[in-house]
Amino acid sequence: MKDKFTLGMFYTIGLILLSFGISMMILADLGAGPWDALYVALADQIGLTVGTWILITGFILIVVNAVLMRKMPDFYAVITIFIMGFLIDFWLLFIFAELKAEVLMRSFMLGGGILIIAAGVSLYLQANFAKNPIDGLMVAVHFRTGLSLSRSKTVLEVAVLVVALLIGGPIGVGTVIVAFGIGPLIGLFFIPAEKMKARMLLQPAVMQK
C-alpha cells in the first residue's frame, strides 16, 4: 500500500508540474514546445480547446505506439491525457485567463516552464503507469531504433516542430529550446528522481543508461 501511494504521488505531482509548465510556456508567448504549439495551432485553426486537442492527439498516438511496440494499445494512457487535457484547460482558461505579463516576466515564465516540464516528466515516469502517449512514443522510438531516450525525444520534438510551423503554431525561441533541450533536461532530472523513488521505496535504483 505504501509503495502504491508513493508511486501515485510521483505520478500526480509529475502531471501537475508538467501541465503547469506547459501552460506557462503557452502564456509566455515566446514560443511553445513543439507539441503544444501543434495543439494551439489546431485550436486556433479548427476550434475546440487546447486540452481537447491533447485528448484527440493522444488517442491517435496510443494506436501508433501500440503498432511500434507490437503490443496491445495502452488504454491506461487515456487516464493521463484526460488529466493533462483537463489541467491545461484549467490553468489556461480559469486560473491564468486574465494574465498579462511584461517581456521580462514572460522570459522567466518561459525558462521556468521548461524546467518544470522536464521535472514533471521525470517524476511522473517513475510511476511507470499510464505514460503520456508522447512519452510512450519516445520510448517506442527508443525501442525500435536503439537511440537513447534523450535523442529519441529530440528527434520527435524537431519533427513536430516542423509540422507546427507549417500550420501556424506559436513558434519562437521557446520552441527551439524545447525541441533541442527537453530531452537532455529530462535525462538530467530523471536519475535524481529515480534515486528519490528508490529511497522512498527502500530499493536499489536502476541507473538509466
Side-chain angles (χ1 to χ4, degrees):
M1 182 65 68
K2 176 185 175 182
D3 289 356
K4 289 182 179 179
F5 175 80
T6 299
L7 294 177
M9 182 180 66
F10 273 94
Y11 178 78
T12 303
I13 294 174
L15 289 185
I16 291 173
L17 289 176
L18 177 57
S19 66
F20 183 75
I22 289 171
S23 300
M24 285 299 95
M25 283 200 66
I26 292 173
L27 291 168
D29 198 25
L30 295 173
W35 287 98
D36 307 313
L38 176 64
Y39 302 141
V40 172
L42 290 170
D44 289 342
Q45 298 292 334
I46 301 175
L48 306 178
T49 66
V50 172
T52 302
W53 281 109
I54 289 174
L55 283 170
I56 294 171
T57 305
F59 279 118
I60 295 171
L61 291 182
I62 287 171
V63 176
V64 171
N65 294 343
V67 172
L68 290 176
M69 296 294 287
R70 296 177 182 173
K71 294 182 178 179
M72 289 293 293
D74 180 15
F75 290 115
Y76 285 113
V78 174
I79 298 172
T80 298
I81 59 176
F82 178 82
I83 294 172
M84 285 296 299
F86 171 79
L87 286 174
I88 288 177
D89 279 350
F90 174 72
W91 295 122
L92 294 178
L93 301 179
F94 295 97
I95 301 301
F96 299 114
E98 304 299 325
L99 179 67
K100 297 184 184 299
E102 300 297 329
V103 174
L104 181 59
M105 178 58 71
R106 288 162 54 200
S107 298
F108 281 115
M109 290 168 62
L110 172 64
I114 293 171
L115 291 175
I116 292 169
I117 288 169
V121 171
S122 300
L123 285 175
Y124 102 84
L125 285 179
Q126 301 303 318
N128 197 29
F129 169 75
K131 291 184 178 67
N132 185 326
I134 294 173
D135 298 311
L137 184 60
M138 172 183 69
V139 173
V141 171
H142 163 69
F143 173 76
R144 298 293 293 175
T145 66
L147 293 172
S148 68
L149 287 175
S150 63
R151 289 183 179 179
S152 298
K153 183 72 170 177
T154 300
V155 168
L156 290 170
E157 295 291 321
V158 172
V160 175
L161 185 156
V162 173
V163 176
L165 179 63
L166 291 175
I167 63 174
I171 305 300
V173 62
T175 316
V176 177
I177 293 172
V178 169
F180 292 99
I182 198 66
L185 279 173
I186 289 173
L188 182 67
F189 281 102
F190 190 89
I191 291 177
E194 190 176 43
K195 289 181 177 179
M196 182 191 306
K197 180 186 75 171
R199 286 196 299 270
M200 295 177 72
L201 297 179
L202 298 179
Q203 66 183 30
V206 178
M207 300 298 288
Q208 182 192 34
K209 297 182 179 179

